[in-house]
Amino acid sequence: MLDADPVAACMVAARVEAVGLDPWRLGGELWSHGGPAEGLCFSGANLVPLRGERAALRAFADRARRAGRACSSLVGRAELVLPMWDELSSVWGPAREVRPDQPLMTLTGMPAVPPDPHVRPVRIDELDRYLPAAVAMFTEEVGVDPRDGDGGAGYRARVAELITSGRAFARFQDGEVVFKAEIGALSRQVGQIQGVWVHPAWRGHGFGTSGTASVAVALGAMGRCASLYVNAFNSPARAAYRRVGFAQVAQFATVLF
């Protein structure tokens, strides 16, 4: 079922392929309704409906209500997320933010623009130089500081994990990050690019476009399709991704708590 929708299911497929279905190792549970072919949903740090008609989505919402909210977001295909949120909002609401229109995009073939030759995988000894850019990106995109709560220990560990796995990319200029992006999820078929960010002083110079092209090339070398999703209201980012050659294949939605 995950292979049937590899781009939209990338986040969950990457975890299942890496660790299997054991909830402790998976960091959550996969729920089915009437069998996985009829309804499938991942419940963990994020609640991700993957498949289902209204009855299945209602059943998943009932299960989530009984368990209590432990996720930081409800995310996935808009046609699944928004009906689930209709079922949950009276109990879990109000949300911090609802983003109902997030184009899910993929790149077929090589980028339409030259990749930036200065964008490369980040080394672990560069963590302290890379981390401020990662924090700035997260704060701008999500609206909260990822260091809140534990002083940043958890977020630092997550960023370090991405670096050591070769999934964090950056262009450095005089020791400072000019461009950054990460491969947030990597399944057998798809790599999902996330955290694309350009230093404010360098915006408008094409670093976001050429840098994203570099990460897409790296994914192609791994034998994966490059994908990403972006807020519909972020016109500059959408234009940059279109210049790279990304095209919309579906619509995501995210409910942030």
Side-chain angles (χ1 to χ4, degrees):
M1 294 311 303
L2 297 174
D3 286 343
D5 192 11
V7 177
C10 177
M11 290 182 286
V12 177
R15 292 293 301 161
V16 172
E17 291 167 12
V19 302
L21 295 178
D22 177 76
W24 186 85
R25 299 184 67 204
L26 185 61
E29 297 177 334
L30 268 177
W31 300 338
S32 67
H33 177 77
E38 295 182 38
L40 191 65
C41 181
F42 173 75
S43 175
N46 303 297
L47 186 61
V48 187
L50 296 160
R51 184 181 181 90
E53 300 297 332
R54 191 73 191 217
L57 299 176
R58 187 174 296 115
F60 294 145
D62 288 342
R63 174 70 175 266
R65 274 195 297 266
R66 291 196 303 272
R69 186 180 69 79
C71 60
S72 62
S73 71
L74 168 60
V75 59
R77 284 182 172 270
E79 66 267 27
L80 304 176
V81 165
L82 298 178
M84 271 195 72
W85 180 234
D86 286 343
E87 298 288 339
L88 287 167
S89 58
S90 62
V91 178
W92 282 9
R96 184 165 57 82
E97 186 178 355
V98 178
R99 298 178 177 179
D101 186 2
Q102 298 175 305
L104 177 65
M105 310 178 81
T106 62
L107 176 67
T108 302
M110 292 296 291
V113 299
D116 185 342
H118 299 289
V119 170
R120 57 170 177 79
V122 180
R123 302 188 307 267
I124 192 60
D125 63 283
E126 296 171 317
L127 172 61
D128 287 333
R129 283 190 286 165
Y130 183 81
L131 190 60
V135 170
M137 175 282 304
F138 191 99
T139 304
E140 288 180 25
E141 174 65 21
V142 181
V144 297
D145 190 322
R147 298 167 296 185
D148 290 348
D150 65 355
Y155 189 67
R156 181 185 178 89
R158 169 59 177 160
V159 172
E161 178 188 2
L162 288 168
I163 291 174
T164 55
S165 63
R167 289 159 49 192
F169 295 79
R171 173 177 176 145
F172 290 89
Q173 191 84 20
D174 299 324
E176 187 175 45
V177 174
V178 172
F179 164 88
K180 68 161 287 294
E182 294 125 15
I183 302 170
L186 187 66
S187 71
R188 289 192 304 263
Q189 300 185 59
V190 179
Q192 188 176 89
I193 300 172
Q194 67 174 31
V196 177
W197 181 86
V198 177
H199 191 288
W202 293 91
R203 292 174 185 173
H205 296 280
F207 287 117
T209 301
S210 59
T212 302
S214 297
V215 182
V217 168
L219 279 167
M222 299 176 194
R224 267 75 163 194
C225 166
S227 78
L228 53 82
Y229 64 99
V230 59
N231 293 310
F233 58 76
N234 192 343
S235 298
R238 292 179 67 185
Y241 299 144
R242 285 195 297 268
R243 286 194 295 272
V244 176
F246 282 88
Q248 183 172 350
V249 295
Q251 179 184 342
F252 259 29
T254 303
V255 181
L256 295 167
F257 302 112

